Amino acid sequence: MKLRHSPTSPFVRKVRLAAAVLGQALELEPADTLDPNDSLRQQNPLGKIPALLTEDGMVLFDSPVILAYLDQLAGGGRIIPTDPAARFAALRMEALADGMMDAGILRIYEGRFRPAERHEPKWLEHQAQKMERALDAFEAAPPVASGAIHVGDIALGSALGWFDFRFEGKWRADRPKLVAWFDDFVGRCPGFAETKPVG
Ligand SMILES: N[C@@H](CCC(=O)N[C@@H](CS)C(=O)NCC(=O)O)C(=O)O
């Protein structure tokens, strides 16, 4: 399986962590999301990474779909629980963590796509508040820091690692329970050190 990737994408890191947890091999193929000639746009019309090229010729995106595929490939029920209550708790956690990353990415893109004098403070604040509310929700009801690693853990670990990388770890202030959860996750998630964002 080939993964179209960049070393800084938190959504790509989700996929790499899931594969590490499941003991699956991924070949990494860099993608330039800004290059109109990159084959990524034929593979994923949205031009986004991660995109997974499977051995039987499919291209899968986005990250929750890829994680579901990897879980299925591993026999099912490995990173997506089968028990309905646990399943929807894990999927909801994944969605909240993914949403925080989406908000963070929009903040970064505002800086990347517009000159500083045209930044829209209201829009940036709107996105920042999504991140803050989601982080507060995780702090108020921290995930259980034991048991098998699931898609919710993987998404939250990727999000917090990326917030350290892009937002100077500001999420840590006044969130001791989430910091404790993250410290534990970093220590027990296969592949975490190897997938640290660089760039
Ligand atoms: N919902 C998608 C989000 C993926 C995403 O936002 N990827 C970013 C990189 S981290 C990207 O490819 N951006 C390029 C673009 O939006 O054109 C997922 O879960 O995979």
Side-chain angles (χ1 to χ4, degrees):
M1 293 183 284
K2 264 191 200 161
L3 184 67
R4 302 304 312 275
H5 88 114
S6 96
T8 55
S9 162
F11 291 102
V12 165
R13 193 179 197 190
K14 272 182 70 186
V15 174
R16 295 182 66 195
L17 291 179
V21 168
L22 296 169
Q24 294 162 336
L26 291 176
E27 191 184 326
L28 297 177
E29 189 177 312
D32 182 349
T33 58
L34 294 177
D35 178 0
N37 297 315
D38 191 305
S39 57
L40 178 68
R41 294 182 187 192
Q42 275 94 57
Q43 293 161 339
N44 174 0
L46 302 173
K48 290 189 180 193
I49 49 171
L52 183 77
L53 282 53
T54 70
E55 285 185 353
D56 51 2
M58 281 190 294
V59 182
L60 293 179
F61 50 86
D62 47 11
S63 63
V65 176
I66 299 174
L67 266 55
Y69 177 78
L70 296 180
D71 184 62
Q72 174 97 359
L73 210 60
R78 296 275 305 279
I79 54 170
I80 303 181
T82 49
D83 166 73
R87 179 184 186 84
F88 288 104
L91 291 174
R92 179 187 185 278
M93 183 174 161
E94 182 186 20
L96 189 58
D98 281 1
M100 295 197 300
M101 291 192 277
D102 281 331
I105 281 172
L106 290 175
R107 290 174 65 189
I108 298 293
Y109 285 0
E110 182 79 358
R112 204 171 279 171
F113 283 86
R114 285 188 221 265
E117 65 278 11
R118 287 182 49 220
H119 287 180
E120 177 49 64
K122 260 170 88 175
W123 171 248
L124 287 170
E125 184 56 20
H126 189 65
Q127 299 307 327
Q129 288 304 319
K130 287 181 198 286
M131 276 172 55
E132 291 301 310
R133 287 194 305 270
L135 286 163
D136 286 345
F138 280 121
E139 175 68 13
V144 179
S146 64
I149 290 175
H150 58 58
V151 289
D153 298 314
I154 291 170
L156 182 57
S158 298
L160 298 178
W162 189 69
F163 292 171
D164 276 341
F165 173 65
R166 285 288 187 224
F167 299 99
E168 296 138 6
K170 287 186 182 138
W171 65 272
R172 292 166 176 273
D174 301 324
R175 296 196 181 98
K177 293 179 193 153
L178 199 50
V179 170
W181 177 87
F182 186 58
D183 286 347
D184 174 75
F185 180 76
V186 166
R188 71 193 174 98
C189 182
F192 203 80
E194 297 85 326
T195 57
K196 196 176 166 160
V198 282

